[in-house]
Amino acid sequence: MNKKKYFIIIIGVSIYLFIMIGQNRVPIEDVAVISGIGYDIEIKNKDIIEYSVPISTNVYKRSGMQVSVLFKEKGINLGEVIQKRQEKMDKKFIQGNERVVLISEDYARYGLKTMIDDRFRNSETNDKAYMAVCNGKTEDYLNYKVKGYSSSSTYLGGLIDAAVNYNFFSDDDKLIDAYVRIGAEGRCLVLPYLEMTEDGIQIIGAAIFKEDKMISVTDIKNNKILNLLKNDNSKGIISLQKSPKEYIDFDAKSRRGKVKCYKQGDKYNFIIDLTLTGTVINNEMYSNMLRDIEKKKEFEKDMAKDIVKQCDSFVKTMKKDYKVDCISLGREAAAKYGRQKGIDWNEVVLGADIKVNVKVKVDLQGRGDY
């Protein structure tokens, strides 16, 4: 085939594709772009369940103005909700730009299986949308007005995204992460827990799941230690305080080394090694730490000891109250001793000896002492 014929074919195919793509195009004023979606449930009785799926959308006017509109519908199953909602819509929904997927606590405790099926089977959804559980109805959160934001969904997505800078959160709170954790052996799904306060919507802790069902909620203090034990390469602030006038704040980056797992007879043992490196941002306890190396070592030792104490306390709470391996140690045991053996890794971890070693290193002290 000579170059001329080849060139003509390329031009012809390009024109054809341009025409076909153009046929599917519609003005932006004729579509509603989904920015956030919620999942609520109400159990009427043992035979009747009502689903509600509010959707926050961005709608564009011909004047160029953008407005946020919430669409809500109810049904006895998710398929009926979708059909009933579209029957009342004068616009086509555009998916794939969702910033956040909110789950009400009632829905989370009932189980995420129907929501996961709804999201996973739809190839147009955004698998990287952030997920969170909220206290109350999701429509209230999606309707919430935040000054300076076009929609609540944009704010909520940013809120979860920015959480990695404090309290040792990970960046694994997306829809795709939920797919992986719910079905994985020795792993546990943990999601941010939101609540409406007088100061607005805040992350007040974490929702802990056993398989696809939420079983408990931590407060933000326990959530910080959970994150510290569970996540690698995370950031947060740890404080030591003796009194209102005696305290020190440590802005740290945490690295969790490879968890050591071994058996003594039928009993499992786990060793978690944590290394925290960072900056002292407030110091009202250790005078002259910048100049006195012994004071610096004293702080590092005291801080490491306090973190170990908090971690040991959390492990006891996990075993006694949560009764699930929410720090995913079972994953390490399954990798070492074999998967698909019918072992209940939650039971294994709850009955295991768990030791936490902490090393603290101050590498910066801001501008020093004033």
Side-chain angles (χ1 to χ4, degrees):
M1 182 181 295
N2 58 42
K3 292 183 178 180
K4 185 177 180 180
K5 289 183 178 179
Y6 184 80
F7 180 76
I8 292 173
I9 291 174
I10 293 295
I11 292 297
V13 170
S14 299
I15 293 173
Y16 174 78
L17 291 175
F18 178 80
I19 293 172
M20 293 304 293
I21 293 173
Q23 288 180 347
N24 292 324
R25 291 181 176 179
V26 295
I28 195 169
E29 295 85 3
D30 294 341
V31 300
V33 181
I34 298 175
S35 60
I37 185 168
Y39 287 85
D40 292 306
I41 195 171
E42 185 176 348
I43 301 175
K44 302 289 188 179
N45 56 52
K46 66 177 183 178
D47 298 318
I48 301 177
I49 296 175
E50 185 176 70
Y51 293 88
S52 175
V53 185
I55 291 181
S56 177
T57 65
N58 293 326
V59 175
Y60 300 86
K61 303 294 185 179
R62 298 196 182 276
S63 63
M65 184 176 65
Q66 175 189 328
V67 296
S68 178
V69 181
L70 186 77
F71 295 95
K72 176 188 171 185
E73 193 54 73
K74 297 180 179 181
I76 60 173
N77 56 60
L78 294 180
E80 182 179 68
V81 172
I82 296 171
Q83 293 179 60
K84 290 173 68 174
R85 183 174 58 226
Q86 193 60 62
E87 289 170 0
K88 301 175 183 178
M89 283 291 300
D90 65 337
K91 299 180 186 296
K92 179 182 178 181
F93 282 117
I94 299 297
Q95 301 183 78
N97 292 292
E98 302 93 336
R99 282 280 286 161
V100 65
V101 177
L102 284 184
I103 316 295
S104 70
E105 181 172 338
D106 288 342
Y107 199 115
R109 289 189 182 276
Y110 180 75
L112 299 185
K113 186 179 184 304
T114 51
M115 185 279 296
I116 291 295
D117 286 344
D118 180 49
R119 297 280 92 194
F120 184 74
R121 295 177 187 277
N122 188 341
S123 60
E124 296 180 356
T125 59
N126 179 16
D127 290 342
K128 294 186 178 181
Y130 286 104
M131 284 187 67
V133 177
C134 64
N135 180 13
K137 298 295 184 182
T138 61
E139 65 177 289
D140 296 331
Y141 290 78
L142 294 176
N143 252 333
Y144 190 81
K145 303 300 180 184
V146 184
K147 187 177 181 179
Y149 290 85
S150 59
S151 69
S152 177
S153 300
T154 303
Y155 170 75
L156 293 173
L159 179 68
I160 301 169
D161 184 24
V164 298
N165 296 304
Y166 299 98
N167 292 314
F168 303 101
F169 280 96
S170 74
D171 193 36
D172 298 330
D173 297 321
K174 302 181 181 70
L175 192 59
I176 187 67
D177 300 310
Y179 296 156
V180 173
R181 281 158 179 71
I182 286 176
E185 190 172 4
R187 303 194 74 174
C188 173
L189 177 64
V190 178
L191 293 175
Y193 188 84
L194 307 180
E195 186 172 279
M196 283 188 180
T197 70
E198 292 181 356
D199 298 321
I201 300 174
Q202 296 181 359
I203 299 174
I204 65 159
I208 298 174
F209 287 77
K210 184 175 183 180
E211 297 178 349
D212 73 316
K213 292 180 173 61
M214 175 181 154
I215 59 169
S216 190
V217 179
T218 71
D219 59 21
I220 196 66
K221 182 179 178 181
N222 276 332
N223 188 193
K224 177 188 289 187
I225 303 303
L226 185 160
N227 292 338
L228 194 61
L229 290 168
K230 183 174 184 285
N231 301 327
D232 182 32
N233 197 24
S234 56
K235 295 186 292 183
I237 296 176
I238 296 285
S239 301
L240 276 176
Q241 185 161 356
K242 290 183 178 180
S243 70
K245 293 184 178 181
E246 293 179 290
Y247 64 90
I248 185 167
D249 297 322
F250 185 50
D251 190 354
K253 183 176 182 180
S254 173
R255 297 299 306 267
R256 191 183 86 160
K258 183 173 176 59
V259 175
K260 300 178 182 68
C261 175
Y262 62 94
K263 290 178 68 176
Q264 290 180 317
D266 293 331
K267 192 176 186 65
Y268 286 77
N269 295 265
F270 296 91
I271 300 175
I272 304 172
D273 292 321
L274 300 176
T275 302
L276 283 82
T277 305
T279 305
V280 172
I281 56 176
N282 291 295
N283 180 14
E284 301 295 335
M285 279 180 63
Y286 299 84
S287 60
N288 298 319
M289 195 168 72
L290 185 63
R291 303 178 188 87
D292 190 341
I293 189 67
E294 293 303 320
K295 281 289 183 181
K296 176 173 172 288
K297 289 181 178 179
E298 181 186 353
F299 162 70
E300 291 174 340
K301 182 180 178 181
D302 291 346
M303 178 60 82
K305 184 178 179 180
D306 187 73
I307 294 173
V308 168
K309 182 180 178 181
Q310 292 185 63
C311 289
D312 289 344
S313 176
F314 177 83
V315 169
K316 291 179 182 178
T317 300
M318 179 182 78
K319 291 181 176 183
K320 180 182 177 181
D321 298 335
Y322 305 148
K323 297 180 180 179
V324 68
D325 171 27
C326 54
I327 55 178
S328 297
L329 294 181
R331 177 189 182 190
E332 312 297 334
K336 182 172 182 178
Y337 293 103
R339 304 183 185 278
Q340 307 300 324
K341 292 186 175 182
I343 298 175
D344 185 343
W345 293 113
N346 284 315
E347 184 178 338
V348 165
V349 172
L350 295 179
D353 285 334
I354 302 172
K355 182 180 180 181
V356 181
N357 298 319
V358 177
K359 182 178 181 181
V360 171
K361 181 181 178 182
V362 177
D363 61 356
L364 292 171
Q365 294 185 55
R367 294 186 178 183
D369 296 329
Y370 175 71

